[in-house]
Amino acid sequence: MTLEVKQIEKSYDNAPLLRGVSFTVDSGETVCLLGRSGSGKSTLLRIIAGLENAEGGQVLWDGRDMSDVPVHQRGFGLMFQDYALFPHRSVEQNVAFGLRMQNLDDREIKKRTGEMLDLVHLTGFANRKVTDLSGGEQQRIALARALAPHPKLLMLDEPLGALDRTLKQTLLDDLRQIVRTACIPVVYVTHDQEEAFSIADRLIMLNSGKIEQVGSPEQVYRHPVSLWVAEFLGLGNIILAEKNGGKSDTISTQFGEIPFAVGSGVSTERELHLLLLPEVPGMRISLEKNPEENEGSYMLITGQVTETIFLEGKYRLSIKTNGPSLRFVSQTQFNTGENIRIEYPIGEIQCLN
Ligand code: ADP
Ligand code: MG
């Protein structure tokens, strides 16, 4: 069971919105479309669902072109943030909606709705009014309704958008488990990086209607392909550097000159953007009491700690330098006001396009 989206093109008022978007999603895999508001994510889902036509490209299910298959025959489940529940109907009637469309008999419908309510941890809610439920409970009901008719594919469009952070986290944990159990391809749309990182097997980074990068959360985090990805994900430290004319194997950075071979495929501009992740193997952080000579294989950064936050056993440091403010993660404690030195392994520096 595979969804394949091939070279989708879509524009509104002659302005291109989706430009050659292609990806596949396999059974049991959750793919997360991540991009700014307005980047065309919802439009793409509507095209997959058959609610909207693309100007070019194809939506294939197990290799079969879906263009002549109407929405209700595709068997795709949808859960949209604004896909409101029917307010005057009970929880059970809401969950049963898709099952009634399939003309199942009452006993079967009751059984399946009961199973779905168990799945979303709302056993016993069948006869409640949906208007009496909290926002989080309503989203669970919407999920139960989407999954009840055994969809071949589940698409979720910012399903947790309206909820507060703590509730989001709990629901995300549940959602991850529930979609794994369903063992169908899942396309999850969000503009929220944290949400995407907690749910995705694979991230698809959408920038102005074009796919900028595809990869596991770890791949994308450790090796963002572009300045846009690094900035969008808030990966942190981006510093400026300049190629040195003639001596091509050194560059001038905001923290001094370092030996650095700029890889092929990287910007031909003189000015470079370098990414320093907050935590990399071999990085050393120490108090700047007795500044030692810096060895060649490190970039030396000095600065003052402006904030230190203890989180999950580590210290998150904000550091004021002569250049930009930087963030690093330390295993050992440093206090606000302390002057520190960071030796960042040059081999871990990444050059962004
Ligand atoms: P996202 O879900 O990523 O926020 P959307 O797919 O909702 O993005 O929409 C992207 C842009 O496409 C919108 O900002 C809007 O300008 C345009 N758009 C979407 N739907 C329509 C429409 N039916 N008519 C005209 N423009 C539209
Ligand atoms: Mg949207």
Side-chain angles (χ1 to χ4, degrees):
M1 295 210 294
T2 306
L3 171 77
E4 185 176 4
V5 173
K6 242 175 155 171
Q7 292 297 326
I8 295 288
E9 302 281 340
K10 177 80 183 172
S11 39
Y12 284 116
D13 308 327
N14 294 322
L17 179 63
L18 296 169
R19 300 182 287 170
V21 173
S22 302
F23 62 90
T24 58
V25 196
D26 285 320
S27 276
E29 187 186 28
T30 301
V31 154
C32 194
L33 279 172
L34 181 60
R36 293 218 163 85
S37 187
S39 58
K41 305 182 296 296
S42 297
T43 304
L44 186 53
L45 283 201
R46 286 204 303 275
I47 291 170
I48 297 171
L51 294 162
E52 193 133 10
N53 290 321
E55 283 132 27
Q58 283 178 304
V59 175
L60 303 159
W61 178 258
D62 274 344
R64 174 168 173 222
D65 190 332
M66 294 273 104
S67 52
D68 57 349
V69 182
V71 181
H72 60 280
Q73 279 174 17
R74 294 195 182 189
F76 297 167
L78 298 170
M79 179 179 161
F80 290 160
Q81 188 189 325
D82 52 3
Y83 204 53
L85 298 171
F86 305 113
H88 303 299
R89 299 195 190 165
S90 68
V91 164
E92 186 171 45
Q93 286 166 333
N94 267 281
V95 177
F97 177 73
L99 302 172
R100 297 232 173 266
M101 308 268 285
Q102 291 182 334
N103 295 322
L104 298 181
D105 69 49
D106 285 353
R107 244 194 41 225
E108 233 171 310
I109 290 180
K110 207 166 184 69
K111 179 164 169 277
R112 182 73 183 153
T113 22
E115 285 167 8
M116 286 299 101
L117 290 179
D118 293 346
L119 184 70
V120 298
H121 309 307
L122 291 175
T123 308
F125 275 57
N127 296 319
R128 300 236 196 146
K129 281 203 290 196
V130 292
T131 43
D132 291 344
L133 305 180
S134 71
E137 287 164 349
Q138 289 190 11
Q139 289 308 81
R140 285 171 198 267
I141 298 299
L143 180 65
R145 180 173 69 177
L147 285 172
H150 292 289
K152 293 189 269 189
L153 165 79
L154 180 65
M155 293 192 279
L156 304 138
D157 193 353
E158 313 251 6
L160 309 181
L163 305 175
D164 69 54
R165 206 150 262 299
T166 0
L167 192 54
K168 245 187 202 181
Q169 205 47 58
T170 329
L171 269 175
L172 269 175
D173 292 340
D174 289 347
L175 204 58
R176 199 169 37 231
Q177 276 223 304
I178 291 167
V179 299
R180 294 263 191 285
T181 317
C183 207
I184 51 177
V186 176
V187 184
Y188 188 105
V189 161
T190 180
H191 67 277
D192 182 314
Q193 306 88 295
E194 262 183 65
E195 211 176 302
F197 273 77
S198 0
I199 194 112
D201 295 313
R202 216 144 45 92
L203 291 171
I204 297 180
M205 307 288 305
L206 202 62
N207 177 16
S208 314
K210 258 189 149 154
I211 293 181
E212 184 107 0
Q213 184 168 12
V214 177
S216 69
E218 183 168 1
Q219 283 165 341
V220 174
Y221 178 86
R222 293 203 191 283
H223 302 288
V225 293
S226 64
L227 183 60
W228 181 84
V229 174
E231 282 182 336
F232 181 71
L233 294 178
L235 297 184
N237 308 310
I238 294 166
I239 66 168
L240 295 174
E242 233 176 64
K243 285 180 199 163
N244 290 335
K247 296 184 290 171
S248 60
D249 54 351
T250 71
I251 56 174
S252 299
T253 77
Q254 288 170 299
F255 302 99
E257 191 168 310
I258 56 166
F260 189 83
V262 178
S264 59
V266 173
S267 164
T268 49
E269 307 274 315
R270 216 174 124 76
E271 200 163 87
L272 301 169
H273 291 95
L274 304 180
L275 175 70
L276 312 179
L277 290 175
E279 196 176 14
V280 290
M283 179 175 72
R284 305 194 291 226
I285 306 182
S286 54
L287 282 176
E288 202 194 12
K289 276 187 188 135
N290 311 301
E292 302 152 31
E293 267 305 292
N294 183 33
E295 301 161 35
S297 52
Y298 291 91
M299 181 162 81
L300 178 65
I301 298 163
T302 56
Q304 191 179 46
V305 179
T306 54
E307 188 176 62
T308 170
I309 298 171
F310 181 68
L311 202 68
E312 291 167 350
K314 293 172 184 173
Y315 301 87
R316 281 158 201 271
L317 311 175
S318 301
I319 291 138
K320 193 175 110 207
T321 71
N322 287 332
S325 291
L326 302 176
R327 292 185 292 126
F328 290 101
V329 173
S330 167
Q331 302 286 340
T332 51
Q333 186 179 0
F334 294 97
N335 299 310
T336 306
E338 278 177 333
N339 290 313
I340 60 171
R341 52 189 268 133
I342 293 130
E343 288 159 280
Y344 194 94
I346 285 169
E348 296 290 340
I349 297 175
Q350 297 181 57
C351 193
L352 299 168
N353 265 322

